[in-house]
């Protein structure tokens, strides 16, 4: 995969009332919850920015934009991606800029009303730290030819840059127009855009290029197979020319090579204007595809491939992950070869190279690649005795493309993503030294030196891992290392890598790797004699721009003072409210929860995400791009789940308790008994400090507990659950049997069962053990959508980002002695397939994200917890609004 392709950004288009009838209907009906689901689906389908447009005659655009963006701010799974405020009305854009958190994008401004107004708007955008989409539109009109596009964009670029607008925040839209309209003057529109993109990228440093993709295929509306093919073909050529991003439906793109060749050629003829009859030919061909795509997928039981040569059979088995015949085919190849090593160097490596090429091109997905690795390992395992006999194992080692050390950093126990990366790199000929989890810095560097590795990869899931990665980078700098450092994991990001990690390690290169699909391209480039230097130079320049942008974003988004935030706390009317009393006030331990009873509570959506297949279940099963693989993955998962349940591979365990509690300021005080005159423990909470213009409160978890001064006898609950007991041993058994696919599958299922146990236990709490919702009858879908009464927020997550609050919870519950779940020094739970949290019963309690906080709150928090300011800043580093 090229670096250009890897950096392409999908802008989700479905949260646009002008382009989506469904979204418009929801907004007009003010069904904002369903509208949020549309935005969430866009993110899950791969959108890295979501475009939001409220321009419609039936709407108050300013009000709708403000309300929707404020709702998004409280949805971490949506607000983790940047927002593009899309409107033709400046008042709507300005209102939107005041709502979004982090760095946003304005779509759009142009010079159609002259340079003065253009620059005035750009200065306001700059004050908010946002980027701007600049349309190729001037006082004369929209640019339609290549020359006009380049001319207008060049003029706008120099005006903005000379006025102080950061060039990396300029995103040009040179106008994608419809092709194949029947008018000859439109025939070159596709090629004009592609050529203009290449010139803009070459001549206007650091600027980006975007476009609205749906315009291209307007002539074929109603014929989705043809539209998808046109979009994919256009992107294939435009991205190579330098297109950085596009407004697309991320779940409705076909893989270029998977498009029917006849349709692909016809679409390419139109987009590149290769002949005068291209439009007519595509219009004629389009009728063949109206109503659905023409596809054909070979059945796995089609054994015609068994008639091919042994080399082709091995390649077929590797690409399709078929182990059924691998031993006999490998043996046949060995008998026909001079040496067993030649089988590995020849047909097996040819097959794995094909796998790597298909994966890099986006034609295979991670589960398929892991299955291919299982086939490869089975073949090599068959050959190993013969290799040992001929003393050729050293020759096998010589085949390596490089040696990579991977480790989950100290204090962190999560390794699914790291394991997948390791398998993918092995499939591409790299030797992997996997040190496992909770690996201290000294072990990582000592092993890397002893093994003379070519690169070091660090992984982590919990936020304290970010600080450990900075420490390792600093130690590499102090030790004079120059090996490439790779950063990955759920809590990592390009921004954190650029702002915190890369500056600590200037003697070598630091590269953020978003997921396994990027790993091979990044490693191959970093270990290349010719490509490494320019790639590292480009990465450093990119990270320098990210740091500048981050700095501007911080200065553009001040927080309110803690005192003011507290004055805007949620005002619950406690008069007349009687807090429900739990049915028990003693800790309860569950050691015998039946696995089969947890299966109905499973949320399958994160299961697919753990395999880097993004999308909401069950819709993902019908996704035109990943649907087939998602269905196969689900079938494999359910097959293992059935065996797991029947044979009791895992032992679900849980502990919970309830405590008398009251809020004292931003603290939740737990009392020793119901007399409430002696403190037992305190949960410390954090309060939102973002300014809110809509009258919405600045939440803290303490808001949902009756204040001490009310005299009310309120309660808070806590829990720890795990489905991880037994997982590590069986996963390791699979791994030693060269079955990485089953090993990773088991880890993913254990995670799902732990979350299912947390969901099932919460339902039991609401209906029986606390009993405040005894008449509740919710489906699993409704529980996943959090339709229940009360909440169960977890320390270390958006509502309370401080992981150290788990220490209080675990101590109160005696979680380690009662159910065998412990905390690492970084407050990660072990076994990893574990979940913990608090229970709140008030009907107005809601989930929220604290967001960035100011130093005055950190100082206050440190005083309340009786810890040093530096320690508080270390644990809260990811949410600090200031630099330490």
């Amino acid at each position: 995969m090229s670096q250009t392709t890897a950096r392409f950004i999908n802008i989700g288009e479905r949260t646009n009332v002008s382009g989506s009838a469904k979204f418009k209907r929801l907004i007009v009906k003010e069904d904002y919850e369903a509208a949020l689901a549309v935005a969430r689906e866009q993110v899950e389908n791969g959108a890295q920015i979501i475009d939001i447009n409220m321009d419609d005659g039936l709407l108050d655009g300013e009000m709708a934009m403000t309300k929707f963006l404020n709702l998004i701010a409280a949805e971490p799974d949506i607000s983790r991606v940047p927002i593009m405020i899309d409107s033709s009305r400046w008042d709507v854009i300005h209102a939107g800029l005041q709502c979004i958190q982090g760095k946003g994008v304005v779509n759009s401004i142009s010079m159609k009303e002259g340079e003065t107004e253009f620059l005035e708007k750009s200065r306001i955008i700059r004050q908010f730290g946002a980027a701007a989409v600049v349309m190729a539109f001037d006082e004369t009109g929209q640019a339609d030819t290549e020359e006009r596009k380049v001319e207008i964009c060049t003029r706008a670029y120099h005006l903005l840059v000379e006025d102080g607008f950061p060039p990396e925040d300029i995103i040009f839209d040179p106008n994608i127009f419809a092709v194949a309209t029947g008018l000859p003057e439109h025939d070159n529109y596709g090629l004009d855009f592609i050529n203009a993109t290449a010139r803009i990228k070459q001549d206007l440093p650091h600027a980006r290029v975007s476009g609205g993709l749906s315009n291209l295929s307007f002539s074929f509306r109603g014929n989705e197979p043809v539209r998808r093919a046109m979009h994919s073909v256009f992107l294939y050529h435009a991205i190579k020319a330098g297109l950085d991003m596009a407004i697309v439906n991320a779940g409705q793109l076909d893989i270029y090579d998977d498009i029917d060749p006849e349709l692909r050629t016809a679409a390419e003829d139109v987009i590149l204007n290769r002949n005068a009859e291209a439009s007519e030919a595509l219009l004629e061909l389009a009728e063949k595809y109206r109503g659905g795509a023409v596809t054909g997928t070979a059945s796995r039981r089609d054994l015609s491939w068994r008639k091919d040569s042994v080399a082709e059979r091995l390649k077929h088995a590797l690409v399709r992950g078929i182990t059924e015949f691998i031993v006999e085919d490998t043996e046949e190849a060995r008998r026909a070869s001079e040496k067993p090593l030649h089988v590995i160097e020849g047909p097996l490596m040819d097959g794995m190279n094909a796998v790597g090429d298909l994966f890099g091109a986006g034609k295979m997905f991670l589960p398929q690649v892991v299955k291919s690795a299982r086939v490869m390992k089975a073949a090599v395992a068959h050959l190993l005795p013969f290799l040992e006999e001929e003393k050729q194992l050293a020759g096998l080692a010589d085949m390596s493309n490089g040696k990579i050390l991977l480790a989950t950093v100290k204090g962190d126990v999560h390794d699914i993503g790291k394991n997948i990366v390791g398998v993918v790199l092995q499939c591409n000929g790299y030797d992997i030294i996997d040190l496992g989890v909770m690996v201290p810095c000294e072990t990582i560097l000592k092993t890397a030196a002893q093994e003379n590795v070519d690169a070091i990869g660090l992984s982590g899931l919990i936020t304290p891992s970010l600080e450990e990665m900075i420490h390792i980078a600093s130690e590499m700098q102090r030790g004079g290392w120059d090996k490439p450092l790779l950063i990955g994991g759920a809590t990592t990001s390009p921004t954190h890598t650029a702002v915190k990690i890369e500056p600590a390690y200037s003697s070598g290169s630091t590269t953020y790797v978003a997921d396994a699909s990027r790993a091979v391209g990044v490693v191959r480039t970093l270990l290349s004699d010719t490509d490494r230097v320019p790639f590292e130079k480009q990465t450093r320049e990119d990270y320098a721009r990210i740091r500048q942008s981050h700095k501007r974003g911080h200065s553009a988004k001040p927080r309110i003072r803690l005192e003011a935030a507290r004055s805007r706390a949620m005002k619950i009317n406690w008069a007349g409210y009687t807090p429900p009393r739990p049915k028990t006030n003693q800790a309860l331990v569950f050691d015998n929860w039946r696995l089969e009873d947890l299966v109905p509570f499973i949320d399958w959506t994160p299961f697919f995400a753990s395999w880097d297949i993004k999308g909401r279940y069950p819709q993902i099963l019908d996704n035109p791009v990943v649907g087939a693989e998602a269905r196969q993955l689900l079938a494999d998962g359910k097959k293992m789940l059935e065996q797991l349940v029947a044979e009791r591979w895992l032992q679900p365990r849980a502990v919970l308790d309830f405590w008398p509690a009251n809020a004292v300021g931003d603290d939740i005080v737990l009392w020793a008994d119901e007399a409430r005159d002696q403190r037992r423990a305190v949960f410390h909470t954090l309060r939102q400090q973002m300014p809110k213009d809509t009258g919405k409160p600045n939440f803290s978890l303490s808001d949902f507990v009756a204040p001490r001064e009310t005299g009310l006898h309120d309660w808070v609950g806590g829990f720890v659950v795990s489905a991880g007991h037994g997982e590590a041993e069986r996963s390791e058994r699979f791994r030693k049997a060269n079955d990485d696919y089953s090993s990773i599958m088991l880890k993913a299922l254990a995670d799902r069962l732990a979350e299912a146990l947390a969901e099932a236990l919460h339902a039991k709490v609401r209906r029986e053990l606390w009993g405040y919702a005894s008449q509740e009858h919710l489906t699993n879908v409704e529980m996943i959508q959090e339709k229940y009464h009360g909440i169960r927020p977890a320390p270390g997550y958006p509502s309370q980002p401080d992981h150290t609050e788990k220490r209080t919870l675990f101590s109160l519950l005696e979680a380690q002695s009662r159910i065998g779940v412990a905390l690492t020094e970084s407050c990660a739970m072990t076994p990893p397939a574990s979940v913990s949290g608090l229970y709140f019963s008030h009907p107005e309690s809601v989930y929220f994200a604290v967001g960035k906080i100011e130093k005055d709150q950190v100082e206050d928090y440190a005083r309340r917890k009786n810890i040093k300011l530096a320690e508080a800043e270390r644990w809260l580093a990811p949410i600090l609004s200031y630099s330490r």
Side-chain angles (χ1 to χ4, degrees):
M1 177 180 290
S2 71
Q3 291 305 308
T4 301
T5 304
R7 292 172 179 169
F8 180 74
I9 295 171
N10 292 309
I11 305 173
E13 67 173 356
R14 306 312 295 170
T15 46
N16 184 326
V17 297
S18 301
S20 170
K22 174 184 176 181
F23 185 72
K24 175 183 174 181
R25 185 168 60 253
L26 296 174
I27 295 297
V28 169
K29 289 167 53 181
E30 297 191 16
D31 188 352
Y32 283 94
E33 185 171 338
L36 286 171
V38 175
R40 189 177 294 108
E41 184 178 12
Q42 288 284 279
V43 176
E44 291 169 347
N45 278 342
Q48 292 137 315
I49 297 176
I50 52 174
D51 178 89
I52 299 174
N53 182 295
M54 299 293 183
D55 288 359
D56 186 84
L58 298 176
L59 289 174
D60 179 341
E62 185 175 345
M63 184 278 294
M65 181 69 79
T66 299
K67 184 171 183 178
F68 193 58
L69 290 179
N70 283 327
L71 289 170
I72 282 178
E75 297 285 339
D77 49 350
I78 303 173
S79 58
R80 64 187 175 87
V81 303
I83 302 298
M84 178 177 281
I85 306 168
D86 185 352
S87 180
S88 59
R89 292 172 45 194
W90 180 251
D91 60 326
V92 174
I93 289 175
H94 194 250
L97 283 169
Q98 297 174 66
C99 297
I100 58 174
Q101 302 180 51
K103 191 174 189 69
V105 184
V106 167
N107 187 12
S108 61
I109 58 174
S110 73
M111 297 186 294
K112 65 181 179 181
E113 294 173 342
E115 294 181 358
T116 301
E117 185 167 333
F118 173 64
L119 289 174
E120 285 176 356
K121 289 177 178 176
S122 75
R123 289 166 189 149
I124 295 173
I125 293 170
R126 192 170 79 227
Q127 288 173 5
F128 282 93
V133 174
V134 179
M135 300 295 296
F137 201 136
D138 65 6
E139 301 88 340
T140 306
Q142 278 187 290
D144 52 0
T145 67
E146 175 186 340
E147 291 303 323
R148 279 272 293 152
K149 294 175 193 290
V150 174
E151 173 197 339
I152 293 175
C153 291
T154 300
R155 176 182 164 208
Y157 178 87
H158 290 299
L159 281 170
L160 290 171
V161 172
E162 289 167 10
D163 196 55
F165 201 94
E168 66 271 17
D169 285 349
I170 301 172
I171 305 168
F172 285 114
D173 185 339
N175 305 322
I176 298 176
F177 293 127
V179 293
T181 63
L183 299 176
E185 56 267 32
H186 298 172
D187 288 349
N188 216 51
Y189 279 167
L191 191 58
D192 280 332
F193 183 95
I194 291 168
N195 290 341
T197 295
R199 291 174 61 182
I200 290 168
K201 294 294 290 183
Q202 178 179 334
D203 298 339
L204 306 179
H206 308 308
R208 295 177 171 87
V209 179
S210 180
L213 193 57
S214 61
N215 296 339
L216 178 83
S217 60
F218 187 74
S219 300
F220 296 89
R221 58 193 183 279
N223 192 330
E224 285 307 306
V226 172
R227 297 195 75 176
R228 289 201 309 268
M230 292 178 70
H231 296 167
S232 296
V233 167
F234 181 83
L235 285 179
Y236 177 80
H237 291 282
I239 290 172
K240 289 203 292 186
L243 183 68
D244 297 283
M245 58 190 77
I247 299 176
V248 300
N249 185 341
Q252 294 288 327
L253 288 175
D254 292 334
I255 297 170
Y256 178 82
D257 281 352
D258 286 354
I259 302 169
D260 181 67
E262 183 183 25
L263 177 58
R264 186 176 65 230
T265 299
E268 213 154 40
D269 286 345
V270 166
I271 290 165
L272 301 181
N273 195 18
R274 293 199 290 215
N275 61 71
E277 292 76 35
S279 295
E280 192 62 37
L282 181 58
L283 287 166
E284 183 177 336
L285 181 63
E287 291 305 312
K288 177 180 174 182
Y289 295 87
R290 190 173 296 279
V294 177
T295 60
T297 304
S299 168
R300 184 170 180 176
R301 294 310 302 166
D302 176 7
L303 298 180
S304 59
W305 61 279
R306 301 295 304 155
K307 300 175 183 177
D308 293 336
S309 68
V310 68
E312 286 301 314
R313 297 200 304 270
L314 288 171
K315 179 178 177 181
H316 182 95
L318 285 163
V319 170
R320 288 160 180 80
I322 302 172
T323 57
E324 186 175 355
F325 309 99
I326 192 62
V327 172
E328 65 183 79
D329 286 349
T330 302
E331 175 61 14
E332 181 181 337
R334 184 191 70 82
R335 290 181 180 277
S337 301
E338 182 182 348
K339 297 178 179 180
L341 182 59
H342 293 170
V343 181
I344 298 174
E345 291 177 331
L348 289 177
M349 286 309 298
D350 288 343
M352 290 312 295
N353 287 337
V355 170
D357 291 342
L358 289 167
F359 181 59
K363 300 168 192 174
M364 286 182 72
F365 302 98
L366 277 174
Q368 295 166 304
V369 174
V370 177
K371 287 180 182 178
S372 298
R374 178 171 59 182
V375 177
M376 180 68 170
K377 288 186 175 183
V380 173
H382 175 73
L383 293 171
L384 274 177
F386 302 101
L387 288 162
E388 291 171 355
E389 183 181 338
E390 297 183 8
K391 300 183 184 292
Q392 292 296 326
L393 282 174
L396 177 59
D398 291 340
M399 294 168 52
S400 173
N401 288 328
K403 189 182 291 186
I404 314 298
L405 182 147
L406 299 177
T408 298
V409 299
K410 183 178 71 171
D412 204 326
V413 294
H414 300 87
D415 64 353
I416 292 181
K418 170 181 65 65
N419 292 349
I420 292 176
V421 168
V423 169
V424 171
L425 289 172
Q426 282 179 320
C427 289
N428 285 267
Y430 295 93
D431 283 343
I432 302 301
I433 300 172
D434 189 341
L435 297 183
V437 301
M438 293 185 60
V439 188
C441 174
E442 54 270 25
T443 301
I444 292 172
L445 299 187
K446 181 180 179 180
T447 306
Q450 290 174 342
E451 297 289 341
N452 191 28
V453 300
D454 296 293
I456 296 173
L458 305 180
S459 176
L461 178 72
I462 60 174
T463 49
S465 299
L466 302 176
E467 291 293 296
E468 180 65 15
M469 290 177 180
I470 299 170
H471 170 63
I472 294 171
S474 300
E475 287 300 293
M476 291 177 70
Q477 175 71 22
R478 192 170 66 87
W481 286 76
D482 63 357
K483 302 290 186 183
L485 177 62
L486 309 176
I487 301 296
T491 56
T492 60
S493 68
T495 299
H496 184 269
T497 303
V499 174
K500 297 291 187 179
I501 302 177
E502 196 226 19
Y505 181 46
S506 58
S507 59
S509 65
T510 305
T511 308
Y512 169 71
V513 183
D515 53 51
S517 66
R518 307 293 197 269
V520 176
V522 170
V523 171
R524 183 181 294 129
T525 304
L526 285 171
L527 301 191
S528 166
D529 292 335
T530 56
D531 297 337
R532 174 175 176 172
V533 172
F535 176 78
E536 290 180 342
K537 180 176 182 292
Q538 180 64 53
T539 301
R540 286 192 177 96
E541 292 174 355
D542 290 346
Y543 287 176
R545 285 193 294 273
I546 290 174
R547 285 193 289 274
Q548 293 169 3
S549 176
H550 178 76
K551 185 177 181 180
R552 283 193 298 270
H554 270 53
S555 62
K557 291 288 182 181
R559 268 28 189 185
I560 61 176
R561 301 292 296 171
L562 178 59
E563 183 179 351
R566 283 173 172 164
S567 71
R568 302 178 190 182
M570 186 178 188
K571 303 296 190 294
I572 290 177
N573 182 11
W574 297 103
Y577 175 75
T578 302
R581 190 185 189 285
K583 308 302 181 186
T584 178
N585 61 352
Q586 293 184 342
L588 299 177
V589 176
F590 298 87
D591 274 329
N592 56 351
W593 208 299
R594 301 196 320 161
L595 283 165
E596 51 265 47
D597 293 339
L598 296 179
V599 173
F601 289 89
I602 290 177
D603 178 4
W604 287 102
T605 296
F607 170 77
F608 295 102
S610 68
W611 290 93
D612 272 5
I613 296 181
K614 305 295 194 297
R616 181 169 288 275
Y617 174 83
Q619 293 87 345
I620 190 175
L621 303 179
D622 298 317
N623 185 288
V625 178
V626 301
E629 183 55 33
R631 291 191 295 273
Q632 182 60 58
L633 182 65
L634 182 63
D636 291 346
K638 287 189 172 180
K639 181 179 179 181
M640 178 178 283
L641 180 63
E642 184 178 348
Q643 185 179 5
L644 180 159
V645 170
E647 298 178 7
R648 297 292 187 266
W649 289 0
L650 305 176
Q651 182 187 4
R653 306 184 72 184
V655 59
L656 67 85
D657 202 354
F658 303 98
W659 307 285
N662 286 107
V664 177
D666 287 349
D667 290 335
I668 299 171
V669 174
L670 308 186
W671 304 106
D673 52 41
E674 294 193 59
R676 298 177 184 252
D677 55 8
Q678 183 178 346
R679 292 189 178 198
R680 180 176 181 181
V682 177
F683 285 117
H684 305 278
T685 77
L686 292 161
R687 185 169 298 282
Q688 294 175 321
Q689 285 188 270
M690 70 278 286
K692 298 184 180 183
D693 299 330
T694 58
K696 292 185 68 175
N698 286 74
F699 289 111
S700 170
L701 287 175
S702 63
D703 294 346
F704 309 136
V705 182
R708 177 80 188 277
E709 57 267 24
T710 65
L712 294 175
H713 287 197
D714 211 343
W715 295 75
V716 165
F719 70 95
V720 177
V721 304
S722 179
H725 296 293
E727 176 269 310
E729 299 83 356
R730 192 167 291 270
S731 290
E732 181 63 13
R733 200 180 308 169
F734 281 128
R735 192 190 66 79
K736 288 182 176 178
N738 296 313
D739 190 355
D740 290 299
Y741 184 69
S742 294
S743 176
I744 294 169
M745 179 68 75
L746 178 56
K747 291 175 184 290
L749 290 174
D751 283 350
R752 290 301 86 225
L753 287 167
E755 291 287 354
L757 178 52
E759 197 73 85
L761 185 62
H762 192 198
K764 189 175 183 69
V765 164
R766 297 190 304 270
R767 299 166 187 170
E768 302 171 26
L769 302 178
W770 205 333
Y772 60 79
S774 58
Q775 303 303 310
E776 172 191 283
H777 297 286
L778 297 177
T779 66
N780 189 40
V781 171
E782 289 172 325
M783 282 190 280
I784 290 170
Q785 294 174 345
E786 299 166 356
K787 301 283 189 182
Y788 46 73
H789 173 156
I791 58 174
R792 56 174 179 92
Y797 288 85
S799 296
Q800 168 46 289
D802 181 7
H803 283 271
T804 66
E805 289 294 297
K806 289 180 199 163
R807 293 171 178 165
T808 303
L809 177 63
F810 272 57
S811 175
L812 287 164
L813 293 173
E814 300 176 32
Q816 184 166 1
S817 61
R818 283 172 169 161
I819 64 168
V821 182
L823 291 176
T824 70
E825 60 189 287
S826 295
C827 294
M829 291 175 287
T830 181
S834 302
V835 180
S836 64
L838 301 177
Y839 292 132
F840 294 82
S841 65
H842 197 280
E844 293 183 54
S845 59
V846 294
Y847 294 105
F848 61 91
V850 169
K852 299 289 185 181
I853 60 175
E854 281 286 354
K855 190 167 187 175
D856 62 342
Q857 179 163 196
V858 181
E859 292 171 338
D860 178 85
Y861 190 72
R863 284 194 297 270
R864 285 155 47 205
K865 284 179 72 84
N866 194 28
I867 60 176
K868 293 181 178 179
L869 175 62
E871 184 180 355
E873 289 178 326
R874 181 169 69 88
W875 286 102
L876 299 175
I879 64 166
L880 300 181
S881 66
Y882 60 93
S883 298
R884 288 189 278 165

